[in-house]
């Protein structure tokens, strides 16, 4: 029992200084760890605070940018509305301009038509005036040729007149082709394989003019029967046209009608006048014809 008391009451064999040093070391280690952790926490707090401040600045910048964007969006929306109004005004103006251009185009077309009609009337007036300007046979034939050349664009042509028995059409004048090379056209003979003669014969017998439609590539381009009252007395034949005249137009057909109706009478009258040496009929002769 004394041994137990001896063991229980025995103090540590370690010296007190060693124990104190150990405690101090542990305390210092604890304090160091505590303050280190505190410093780390402080540094973390500072870093977090900095991060939050940066985020706040960023949010404030974004907020300012959104405000600017909102103001810009409003301005853009206003501009888009103005643009929309301007586009509508532009469309309305373009529609008005288009309508005006259409009206102007119609007026221009009508003006061109009227101008063309006036030109046609002028040409026909000139043609009629030229045909009845003189009773000299040579002058009348020259006027017929000039009308065909200048107004129709004929390059080669001939004037045929019916023989006394009416069975032949004899060339009496030509232009662009030698008169001696032209043959008589036999009437009611079929003219054989001569295409030109066939067309001339048919136009003379029927009294219907032959005027080529579209591009004129074959001869004759036109054959116009000459009438004195209801009697066919000859024909004007246009063999070819000038290069710048590829086809006939409306005014050409009207001129052919005029020549068919008036040129025959002018030729007959001029021939009678020229054959009489230009002597005018006496009043007595005129009265006798009216009796």
């Amino acid at each position: 029992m004394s041994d137990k008391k001896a063991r229980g009451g025995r103090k540590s064999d370690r010296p007190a200084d060693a124990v104190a040093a150990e405690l101090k070391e542990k305390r210092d280690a604890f304090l160091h760890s505590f303050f280190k952790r505190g410093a780390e926490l402080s540094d973390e707090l500072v870093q977090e605070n900095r991060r939050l401040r940066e985020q706040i600045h960023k949010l404030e910048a974004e907020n300012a940018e959104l405000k600017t964007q909102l103001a810009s969006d409003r301005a853009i929306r206003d501009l888009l509305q103005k643009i929309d109004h301007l586009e509508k005004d532009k469309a309305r103006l373009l529609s008005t301009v288009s309508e005006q251009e259409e009206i102007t185009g119609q007026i221009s077309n009508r003006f061109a038509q009227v101008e063309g009609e006036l030109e046609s009337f002028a040409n026909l007036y000139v043609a009629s005036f030229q045909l009845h300007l003189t009773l000299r046979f040579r002058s009348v034939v020259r006027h017929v040729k000039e009308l065909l050349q200048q107004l129709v664009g004929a390059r080669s042509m001939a004037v045929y007149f019916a023989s006394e028995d009416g069975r032949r059409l004899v060339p009496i004048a030509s232009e662009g082709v030698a008169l001696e090379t032209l043959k008589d056209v036999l009437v009611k003979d079929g003219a054989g394989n001569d295409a030109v003669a066939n067309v001339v014969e048919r136009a003379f017998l029927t009294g219907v003019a032959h005027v080529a439609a579209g591009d004129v590539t074959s001869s004759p381009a036109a054959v116009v029967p000459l009438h004195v009252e209801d009697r066919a007395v000859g024909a004007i034949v246009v063999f070819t046209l000038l290069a710048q005249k590829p086809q006939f137009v409306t005014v050409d057909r009207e001129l052919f009608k005029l020549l068919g109706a008036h040129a025959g009478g002018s030729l007959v009258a001029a021939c009678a006048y020229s054959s009489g040496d230009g002597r005018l009929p006496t009043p007595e002769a005129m009265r006798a014809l009216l009796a």
Side-chain angles (χ1 to χ4, degrees):
M1 184 172 181
S2 60
D3 293 338
K4 290 181 180 180
K5 286 182 180 180
R7 285 194 300 268
R10 190 176 57 183
K11 293 183 179 179
S12 174
D13 294 338
R14 298 174 62 192
D17 292 340
V19 173
E22 184 179 356
L23 290 174
K24 183 178 182 301
E25 183 180 352
K26 289 181 179 181
R27 183 192 64 184
D28 291 341
F30 172 76
L31 290 174
H32 178 73
S33 176
F34 178 78
F35 284 114
K36 181 179 179 183
R37 181 58 182 163
E40 290 176 352
L41 289 174
S42 297
D43 187 59
E44 291 177 1
L45 289 174
V46 170
Q47 294 294 333
E48 183 65 17
N49 185 38
R50 184 180 297 128
R51 187 184 66 80
L52 291 174
R53 284 182 179 277
E54 289 177 354
Q55 189 172 0
I56 289 172
H57 287 310
K58 183 178 180 181
L59 291 174
E60 288 177 348
E62 290 178 354
N63 188 30
E65 185 178 352
L66 288 174
K67 288 181 179 179
T68 304
Q69 183 68 31
L70 181 60
S72 177
D73 289 344
R74 288 177 180 172
I76 291 173
R77 186 163 56 250
D78 293 340
L79 288 174
L80 289 175
Q81 291 178 350
K82 290 182 180 179
I83 290 173
D84 184 57
H85 292 317
L86 290 174
E87 287 290 341
K88 291 180 180 178
D89 291 341
K90 176 184 175 182
R92 186 173 64 254
L93 290 174
L94 287 175
S95 177
T96 303
V97 170
S98 178
E99 292 175 358
Q100 294 299 323
E101 287 179 347
E102 184 177 356
I103 294 173
T104 302
Q106 293 175 353
I107 294 174
S108 298
N109 290 336
R110 183 53 186 160
F111 180 79
Q113 291 176 359
V114 171
E115 192 176 41
E117 291 174 359
L118 289 176
E119 184 179 359
S120 299
F121 289 144
N123 289 338
L124 293 176
Y125 170 78
V126 169
S128 179
F129 179 79
Q130 290 293 96
L131 286 175
H132 301 288
L133 179 63
T134 179
L135 283 176
R136 297 292 179 184
F137 187 75
R138 186 182 299 274
S139 296
V140 173
V141 172
R142 186 179 72 252
H143 290 165
V144 170
K145 292 180 181 179
E146 290 175 351
L147 290 173
L148 291 171
Q149 287 176 323
Q150 297 174 10
L151 300 183
V152 177
R155 185 176 66 182
S156 59
M157 71 195 82
V159 179
Y160 288 78
F161 210 81
S163 61
E164 188 174 0
D165 59 7
R167 300 190 61 181
R168 290 181 301 123
L169 289 175
V170 182
I172 61 173
S174 66
E175 187 70 31
V177 58
L179 183 63
E180 58 271 14
T181 62
L182 298 176
K183 297 180 180 180
D184 295 355
V185 176
L186 299 179
V187 180
K188 297 182 180 179
D189 187 63
N193 295 325
D194 192 333
V196 175
N198 284 330
V199 175
V200 175
E201 179 190 24
R202 183 169 62 251
F204 177 77
L205 290 175
T206 62
V208 178
H210 163 82
V211 181
D215 292 338
V216 180
T217 56
S218 60
S219 181
V223 178
V224 181
L226 298 177
H227 291 88
V228 175
E229 296 181 342
D230 295 332
R231 177 184 176 186
V233 297
I236 294 175
V237 181
V238 177
F239 296 108
T240 57
L241 299 178
L242 298 173
Q244 61 270 28
K245 180 78 174 186
Q247 60 185 11
F248 295 114
V249 295
T250 302
V251 68
D252 298 329
R253 291 176 171 82
E254 295 299 322
L255 182 60
F256 285 145
K257 291 180 182 178
L258 178 68
L259 289 173
H262 293 270
S266 295
L267 289 171
V268 171
C271 182
Y273 180 78
S274 297
S275 299
D277 295 329
R279 291 191 302 269
L280 295 175
T282 63
E284 291 75 17
M286 291 183 179
R287 290 180 61 180
L289 291 174
L290 292 173

Coordinates of all heavy atoms in Angstrom, one line a residue, residues 171-222:
P171 N -44.4 49.9 -170.7 CA -43.7 50.8 -169.8 C -43.4 52.1 -170.5 O -42.9 52.1 -171.7 CB -42.4 50.1 -169.5 CG -42.2 49.1 -170.6 CD -43.6 48.7 -171.0
I172 N -43.8 53.2 -169.9 CA -43.6 54.5 -170.6 C -42.5 55.4 -169.9 O -42.0 56.3 -170.5 CB -44.9 55.3 -170.6 CG1 -45.4 55.6 -169.2 CG2 -46.0 54.6 -171.5 CD1 -46.6 56.5 -169.1
A173 N -42.2 55.1 -168.6 CA -41.2 55.8 -167.9 C -40.6 54.9 -166.8 O -41.3 54.0 -166.3 CB -41.8 57.1 -167.3
S174 N -39.4 55.2 -166.4 CA -38.8 54.4 -165.4 C -37.7 55.2 -164.6 O -37.3 56.3 -165.1 CB -38.1 53.1 -165.9 OG -37.0 53.5 -166.8
E175 N -37.3 54.7 -163.5 CA -36.3 55.3 -162.7 C -35.6 54.2 -161.9 O -36.2 53.3 -161.3 CB -36.9 56.3 -161.7 CG -35.9 57.1 -160.9 CD -35.2 58.1 -161.8 OE1 -35.8 58.6 -162.7 OE2 -34.0 58.4 -161.5
G176 N -34.2 54.2 -162.0 CA -33.4 53.1 -161.3 C -33.3 51.9 -162.1 O -32.7 50.9 -161.7
V177 N -34.0 51.8 -163.3 CA -33.9 50.6 -164.2 C -34.1 51.2 -165.6 O -34.9 52.1 -165.9 CB -35.0 49.6 -163.8 CG1 -36.4 50.2 -163.9 CG2 -34.9 48.4 -164.7
A178 N -33.3 50.6 -166.5 CA -33.4 51.1 -167.9 C -34.7 50.8 -168.5 O -35.2 49.6 -168.4 CB -32.2 50.5 -168.7
L179 N -35.3 51.8 -169.2 CA -36.6 51.6 -169.7 C -36.6 50.5 -170.8 O -37.6 49.7 -170.9 CB -37.1 52.9 -170.3 CG -38.6 52.9 -170.9 CD1 -39.6 52.6 -169.8 CD2 -38.9 54.2 -171.6
E180 N -35.5 50.4 -171.6 CA -35.5 49.4 -172.7 C -35.4 48.0 -172.2 O -35.6 47.0 -173.0 CB -34.3 49.7 -173.7 CG -32.9 49.8 -173.0 CD -32.6 51.1 -172.4 OE1 -33.5 52.0 -172.3 OE2 -31.4 51.3 -172.1
T181 N -35.0 47.8 -170.9 CA -34.9 46.4 -170.4 C -36.3 45.9 -169.9 O -36.4 44.7 -169.6 CB -33.9 46.4 -169.2 OG1 -34.4 47.2 -168.2 CG2 -32.5 46.8 -169.7
L182 N -37.2 46.8 -169.8 CA -38.6 46.4 -169.3 C -39.4 45.9 -170.5 O -39.5 46.5 -171.5 CB -39.3 47.6 -168.6 CG -38.5 48.2 -167.4 CD1 -39.3 49.4 -166.9 CD2 -38.5 47.1 -166.3
K183 N -40.1 44.8 -170.3 CA -40.9 44.2 -171.3 C -42.4 44.6 -171.0 O -42.8 44.9 -169.9 CB -40.8 42.7 -171.2 CG -39.4 42.2 -171.6 CD -39.3 40.7 -171.5 CE -37.9 40.1 -171.8 NZ -37.8 38.7 -171.7
D184 N -43.2 44.5 -172.1 CA -44.6 44.7 -172.0 C -45.2 43.6 -171.1 O -44.7 42.4 -171.1 CB -45.3 44.7 -173.4 CG -44.8 45.9 -174.2 OD1 -44.0 46.7 -173.7 OD2 -45.2 45.9 -175.4
V185 N -46.2 43.9 -170.4 CA -47.0 42.9 -169.6 C -48.2 42.6 -170.4 O -49.1 43.5 -170.6 CB -47.3 43.4 -168.2 CG1 -48.2 42.4 -167.5 CG2 -46.0 43.7 -167.5
L186 N -48.4 41.3 -170.8 CA -49.6 40.9 -171.5 C -50.7 40.7 -170.5 O -50.6 40.0 -169.5 CB -49.3 39.6 -172.3 CG -48.2 39.7 -173.3 CD1 -48.0 38.4 -174.0 CD2 -48.5 40.8 -174.4
V187 N -51.8 41.3 -170.8 CA -53.0 41.2 -169.9 C -53.8 39.9 -170.4 O -54.0 39.6 -171.6 CB -53.8 42.4 -170.1 CG1 -55.1 42.3 -169.2 CG2 -53.0 43.7 -169.7
K188 N -54.3 39.2 -169.4 CA -55.1 38.0 -169.6 C -54.3 36.9 -170.3 O -54.8 36.2 -171.1 CB -56.4 38.2 -170.4 CG -57.3 39.2 -169.6 CD -58.6 39.4 -170.4 CE -59.5 40.3 -169.7 NZ -60.8 40.6 -170.4
D189 N -52.9 36.9 -170.0 CA -52.1 35.9 -170.6 C -51.4 35.0 -169.6 O -50.7 34.1 -169.9 CB -51.0 36.7 -171.4 CG -50.2 35.7 -172.2 OD1 -50.7 35.0 -173.1 OD2 -48.9 35.6 -172.0
G190 N -51.6 35.4 -168.3 CA -51.0 34.6 -167.2 C -49.6 34.9 -167.0 O -49.0 34.6 -165.9
A191 N -48.9 35.5 -167.9 CA -47.5 36.0 -167.8 C -46.5 34.9 -167.6 O -45.3 35.2 -167.3 CB -47.4 37.1 -166.7
G192 N -46.9 33.7 -167.6 CA -45.9 32.6 -167.4 C -45.2 32.6 -166.1 O -45.8 32.7 -165.0
N193 N -43.9 32.4 -166.2 CA -43.1 32.3 -164.9 C -42.6 33.6 -164.4 O -41.8 33.7 -163.5 CB -41.9 31.3 -165.2 CG -42.4 29.9 -165.4 OD1 -43.4 29.5 -164.9 ND2 -41.7 29.2 -166.3
D194 N -43.0 34.7 -165.1 CA -42.5 36.0 -164.7 C -43.3 36.5 -163.5 O -44.5 36.9 -163.6 CB -42.6 37.0 -165.8 CG -41.9 38.3 -165.6 OD1 -41.7 38.7 -164.4 OD2 -41.5 39.0 -166.5
A195 N -42.7 36.4 -162.3 CA -43.5 36.8 -161.1 C -43.9 38.2 -161.0 O -45.0 38.6 -160.6 CB -42.6 36.5 -159.8
V196 N -43.0 39.1 -161.5 CA -43.3 40.5 -161.5 C -44.5 40.8 -162.4 O -45.5 41.5 -162.1 CB -42.1 41.4 -161.9 CG1 -42.5 42.9 -162.0 CG2 -41.0 41.2 -160.9
A197 N -44.4 40.2 -163.6 CA -45.5 40.4 -164.6 C -46.8 39.9 -164.1 O -47.9 40.5 -164.3 CB -45.1 39.8 -165.9
N198 N -46.8 38.8 -163.4 CA -48.0 38.2 -162.8 C -48.6 39.1 -161.8 O -49.9 39.3 -161.8 CB -47.7 36.8 -162.2 CG -47.5 35.7 -163.2 OD1 -48.1 35.7 -164.2 ND2 -46.6 34.7 -162.8
V199 N -47.8 39.7 -160.9 CA -48.3 40.6 -159.9 C -48.9 41.9 -160.6 O -50.0 42.3 -160.2 CB -47.2 41.0 -158.9 CG1 -47.8 42.0 -157.9 CG2 -46.8 39.8 -158.2
V200 N -48.2 42.4 -161.6 CA -48.7 43.6 -162.3 C -50.0 43.3 -163.0 O -51.0 44.1 -162.9 CB -47.6 44.1 -163.3 CG1 -48.2 45.3 -164.1 CG2 -46.3 44.5 -162.6
E201 N -50.1 42.2 -163.7 CA -51.3 41.8 -164.4 C -52.5 41.7 -163.4 O -53.6 42.2 -163.7 CB -51.1 40.5 -165.2 CG -52.3 40.0 -165.9 CD -52.2 38.6 -166.4 OE1 -51.3 37.9 -165.9 OE2 -52.9 38.3 -167.4
R202 N -52.2 41.0 -162.3 CA -53.3 40.7 -161.3 C -53.8 42.1 -160.7 O -55.0 42.3 -160.6 CB -52.8 39.8 -160.2 CG -53.9 39.5 -159.2 CD -53.5 38.3 -158.3 NE -52.3 38.7 -157.5 CZ -51.1 38.2 -157.7 NH1 -50.9 37.3 -158.6 NH2 -50.1 38.6 -156.9
A203 N -52.9 43.0 -160.4 CA -53.3 44.2 -159.8 C -54.1 45.1 -160.8 O -55.1 45.7 -160.5 CB -52.1 45.0 -159.3
F204 N -53.7 45.0 -162.1 CA -54.3 45.8 -163.1 C -55.8 45.3 -163.4 O -56.7 46.0 -163.5 CB -53.5 45.7 -164.4 CG -54.2 46.4 -165.6 CD1 -54.2 47.8 -165.7 CD2 -54.8 45.7 -166.6 CE1 -54.8 48.5 -166.8 CE2 -55.4 46.3 -167.7 CZ -55.4 47.7 -167.7
L205 N -55.9 43.9 -163.4 CA -57.2 43.4 -163.7 C -58.2 43.5 -162.5 O -59.4 43.7 -162.7 CB -57.0 41.9 -164.1 CG -56.3 41.6 -165.4 CD1 -56.1 40.1 -165.6 CD2 -57.2 42.2 -166.6
T206 N -57.7 43.3 -161.3 CA -58.5 43.4 -160.2 C -58.7 44.8 -159.7 O -59.7 45.1 -159.0 CB -58.0 42.6 -159.0 OG1 -56.7 43.1 -158.6 CG2 -57.8 41.1 -159.4
G207 N -57.8 45.7 -160.0 CA -57.9 47.1 -159.5 C -57.5 47.2 -158.1 O -57.7 48.3 -157.5
V208 N -57.0 46.2 -157.5 CA -56.5 46.1 -156.1 C -55.0 46.3 -156.1 O -54.3 45.5 -156.7 CB -57.0 44.9 -155.4 CG1 -56.5 44.9 -153.9 CG2 -58.5 44.7 -155.4
A209 N -54.5 47.3 -155.3 CA -53.1 47.5 -155.2 C -52.4 46.4 -154.5 O -52.9 45.8 -153.6 CB -52.8 48.8 -154.5
H210 N -51.2 46.0 -155.0 CA -50.3 45.1 -154.3 C -49.3 45.9 -153.5 O -48.4 46.6 -154.1 CB -49.6 44.1 -155.3 CG -48.5 43.4 -154.7 ND1 -48.6 42.3 -154.0 CD2 -47.1 43.7 -154.8 CE1 -47.4 41.8 -153.6 NE2 -46.5 42.7 -154.1
V211 N -49.3 45.8 -152.2 CA -48.3 46.5 -151.3 C -47.8 45.4 -150.4 O -48.5 44.8 -149.6 CB -49.0 47.6 -150.5 CG1 -47.9 48.3 -149.7 CG2 -49.6 48.6 -151.5
A212 N -46.5 45.2 -150.5 CA -45.8 44.1 -149.7 C -45.9 44.5 -148.2 O -45.8 45.6 -147.8 CB -44.4 44.0 -150.1
A213 N -46.2 43.5 -147.4 CA -46.3 43.7 -145.9 C -45.0 43.2 -145.3 O -44.4 42.2 -145.7 CB -47.5 42.9 -145.3
G214 N -44.7 43.9 -144.2 CA -43.4 43.5 -143.5 C -42.2 43.9 -144.3 O -42.2 44.8 -145.1
D215 N -41.1 43.2 -144.0 CA -39.9 43.5 -144.7 C -40.0 43.2 -146.2 O -40.5 42.1 -146.6 CB -38.7 42.7 -144.1 CG -38.4 43.1 -142.7 OD1 -38.7 44.2 -142.4 OD2 -37.8 42.3 -142.0
V216 N -39.6 44.2 -147.0 CA -39.7 44.0 -148.5 C -38.5 43.4 -149.0 O -37.4 44.0 -149.0 CB -40.0 45.4 -149.1 CG1 -40.1 45.2 -150.7 CG2 -41.2 46.0 -148.6
T217 N -38.6 42.1 -149.4 CA -37.4 41.4 -149.9 C -37.5 40.9 -151.3 O -36.5 40.5 -151.9 CB -37.1 40.1 -149.0 OG1 -38.3 39.3 -148.9 CG2 -36.8 40.6 -147.5
S218 N -38.7 40.9 -151.8 CA -38.9 40.4 -153.2 C -39.5 41.6 -154.0 O -40.1 42.5 -153.5 CB -39.9 39.2 -153.2 OG -41.1 39.6 -152.7
S219 N -39.3 41.4 -155.3 CA -39.8 42.4 -156.3 C -41.0 41.8 -157.0 O -41.1 40.6 -157.3 CB -38.7 42.7 -157.4 OG -39.1 43.7 -158.3
P220 N -42.0 42.7 -157.2 CA -42.1 44.1 -156.9 C -42.5 44.3 -155.5 O -43.3 43.6 -154.9 CB -43.2 44.6 -157.9 CG -44.1 43.4 -158.0 CD -43.2 42.2 -158.0
A221 N -42.1 45.5 -155.0 CA -42.5 45.9 -153.6 C -43.9 46.3 -153.6 O -44.7 46.1 -152.6 CB -41.5 46.9 -153.1
A222 N -44.3 47.0 -154.7 CA -45.7 47.5 -154.7 C -46.1 47.7 -156.2 O -45.3 48.0 -157.1 CB -45.8 48.9 -154.0

